[in-house]
Amino acid sequence: MSTVENASPSDDSAAAEATGIAAQDWATASASPQYRAAVVDLLGALAYGELAAFERLAEDAKLAPTLDDKAELAKMASAEFHHFERLRDRLAAIDAEPTAAMEPFAKGVDDFHRQTAPSDWLEGLVKAYVGDSIASDFYREVATHLDTDTRALVVSVLDDTGHGGFAVEKVRAAIEADPRCGGRLALWARRLMGEALSQAQRVVAERDALSTMLVGGVDGMAAGFDLAAVGEMFTRITKAHTKRMAALGLAA
């Protein structure tokens, strides 16, 4: 559920500067068993994340104050489910069993959503706009290290479902009507950022193929992130978060 602001600053130059696996298509890159395993893990994590987002939006619709708001969330939930279907179908197309690919990530994603369950409609909107967008920023950064076919799929399923503009409009209107809720929502957004970053880091740390691709590179074909690049990546994610907070009318 990303917005224009979520696009990584490195996105535009990634194709021009791509080397190794990032310059190859799937047919070529997948000759590396380690790389193939990393992509299956990544698509599995994303697929379960999209399925969970669909479930959560459908649940959040119950908190909607009007029928129009309920319908808007239902539409966004449908878009998330369509993203899930594309990822599931891609896993099947590369001869990976979708359920098996998603299973290792189910507990972590479910734990994140349980720990960050919104208490009301506004917290749900902030979570969808801020929390989910941080995860999208992280996966966009990861995508710069993927083959051209997988990168295109990952970037496309991280496209905005419309929730960004909808959340900004509703949250800003609520703060204007009652400025006191701004402080509460700002604290909530800061908590979401910490939880979302921790969850994204756990996804990589717990899967050897993913961590090797991102940090060590795969079979000498992908450079991965060095320590300086990791710091720069999180700086970009933090800056994007600050912009979103400003768009909502909240202090970062």
Side-chain angles (χ1 to χ4, degrees):
M1 251 170 289
S2 48
T3 69
V4 173
E5 294 165 353
N6 295 342
S8 166
S10 59
D11 286 348
D12 293 339
S13 59
E17 298 176 358
T19 59
I21 283 179
Q24 299 173 5
D25 60 13
W26 169 253
T28 303
S30 61
S32 164
Q34 191 177 51
Y35 177 73
R36 185 184 185 282
V39 168
V40 169
D41 276 348
L42 180 66
L43 297 183
L46 277 169
Y48 191 77
E50 295 290 344
L51 183 59
F54 158 73
E55 292 177 323
R56 193 191 73 250
L57 282 170
E59 186 68 19
D60 286 353
K62 297 177 183 178
L63 300 173
T66 71
L67 286 177
D68 285 343
D69 292 335
K70 190 184 294 287
E72 189 68 23
L73 282 194
K75 182 175 70 174
M76 294 168 191
S78 176
E80 298 291 0
F81 191 77
H82 178 59
H83 290 166
F84 158 73
E85 290 180 313
R86 292 184 62 193
L87 291 160
R88 178 199 61 194
D89 293 348
R90 178 59 178 169
L91 283 163
I94 62 175
D95 298 321
E97 207 289 310
T99 300
M102 291 188 289
E103 189 63 40
F105 307 100
K107 183 179 184 302
V109 173
D110 289 345
D111 285 348
F112 168 75
H113 288 305
R114 184 171 58 253
Q115 292 162 4
T116 59
S119 63
D120 61 23
W121 163 250
L122 291 175
E123 286 190 2
L125 290 178
V126 171
K127 179 180 176 180
Y129 182 55
V130 172
D132 290 3
S133 294
I134 291 169
S136 293
D137 287 345
F138 175 77
Y139 284 121
R140 283 178 181 275
E141 294 280 354
V142 172
T144 65
H145 294 266
L146 302 175
D147 66 272
T148 56
D149 298 317
T150 305
R151 183 167 63 244
L153 172 63
V154 169
V155 170
S156 68
V157 299
L158 295 176
D159 278 348
D160 186 13
T161 61
H163 206 130
F166 179 74
V168 167
E169 176 187 349
K170 296 296 182 179
V171 171
R172 290 187 75 94
I175 294 173
E176 184 176 347
D178 180 9
R180 293 174 300 176
C181 73
R184 173 176 66 88
L185 293 177
L187 288 173
W188 171 243
R190 286 196 283 274
R191 177 187 167 194
L192 288 171
M193 182 180 186
E195 294 285 355
L197 287 177
S198 294
Q199 201 267 340
Q201 290 168 335
R202 283 195 298 271
V203 166
V204 174
E206 293 174 3
R207 305 298 293 179
D208 289 343
L210 269 180
S211 60
T212 298
M213 180 184 74
L214 291 177
V215 181
V218 176
D219 295 342
M221 292 189 289
F225 289 108
D226 59 24
L227 290 178
V230 169
E232 291 168 0
M233 175 184 70
F234 283 110
T235 295
R236 288 192 293 270
I237 291 174
T238 300
K239 286 181 178 178
H241 169 74
T242 300
K243 288 181 179 180
R244 285 187 213 100
M245 293 287 281
L248 289 169
L250 301 175

